[in-house]
Amino acid sequence: IDLTREIREWSRVPIIVISARGREDDKVAALDAGADDYLTKPFSVNELLARVRVALRHAAQSGGDDTGEIITQGPVRIDQPRREVTIGGRPVHLTPIEYRLLVVMARNAGKVLTHRQILKEVWGPSHAGQTHYLRVFMAQLRRKIEDDPARPRLVVTEPGVGYRMRDD
């Protein structure tokens, strides 16, 4: 479960938990941590292969993590294949969560994203109600990308709703 949480901080790779534990609480904990499926031993190879095919199909439909594109939004340049971010040509070091947060905002520039949408996209469905995560990481991200974090110009707050990245 801890490993699943850690992986979800930086990747949307499909995760299938295989365990001898069949209790409902164990399954719910793994799925809430970000696993895509939970398979209890014993199982057949055919069932495992079918579940792998489903997980891969779902990953392909969601587009995966990085599309290999370079996103440019005003002074922000995100080189996804290299996982490099520059602001006005200056390299910026971001944590995996800050990076995912910036990519989600940049891909949706000009659109208001609700707290719930951002949380589900960056942390996964199990964190959709935990807005304190978002506030903390948004403040950290703004300190790194904004000229004046107290008066953000790139990623603005939409009071009571969420955030929007300007698409200037």
Side-chain angles (χ1 to χ4, degrees), residues 12 115-128:
R12 303 300 315 155
H115 297 114
R116 185 176 207 77
Q117 285 175 301
I118 298 168
L119 285 161
K120 284 175 70 177
E121 185 72 26
V122 175
W123 282 271
S126 63
H127 293 84

Side-chain angles (χ1 to χ4, degrees), residues 9-75:
E9 287 182 6
W10 56 272
S11 178
R12 303 300 315 155
V13 67
I15 298 173
I16 299 174
V17 174
I18 298 174
S19 177
R21 294 179 171 189
R23 290 187 7 224
E24 181 180 358
D25 291 348
D26 295 326
K27 293 177 184 180
V28 169
L31 294 168
D32 282 346
D36 296 290
D37 201 350
Y38 191 102
L39 190 57
T40 305
K41 296 177 187 177
F43 54 85
S44 72
V45 173
N46 285 335
E47 181 181 5
L48 173 61
L49 293 174
R51 289 176 186 254
V52 168
R53 286 191 299 273
V54 168
L56 291 173
R57 190 168 52 243
H58 287 167
Q61 289 171 352
S62 70
D65 240 7
D66 296 337
T67 61
E69 65 184 294
I70 295 174
I71 302 171
T72 304
Q73 234 10 280

Side-chain angles (χ1 to χ4, degrees), residues 6 8 11-12 28 42 59 67 100 105 137 144 152:
E6 288 180 35
R8 282 295 174 246
S11 178
R12 303 300 315 155
V28 169
T67 61
R100 291 259 319 130
M105 297 306 299
F137 278 93
K144 293 179 179 183

Side-chain angles (χ1 to χ4, degrees), residues 116-146:
R116 185 176 207 77
Q117 285 175 301
I118 298 168
L119 285 161
K120 284 175 70 177
E121 185 72 26
V122 175
W123 282 271
S126 63
H127 293 84
Q130 299 175 346
T131 58
H132 60 283
Y133 284 161
L134 183 55
R135 286 189 197 102
V136 168
F137 278 93
M138 188 60 76
Q140 290 175 351
L141 178 62
R142 283 177 168 165
R143 280 194 290 275
K144 293 179 179 183
I145 68 169
E146 297 280 359

Side-chain angles (χ1 to χ4, degrees), residues 9-10 83 92-101 137 140 144:
E9 287 182 6
W10 56 272
R83 294 186 70 88
V92 177
H93 172 74
L94 300 177
T95 66
I97 291 288
E98 293 166 349
Y99 176 81
R100 291 259 319 130
L101 185 55
F137 278 93
Q140 290 175 351
K144 293 179 179 183

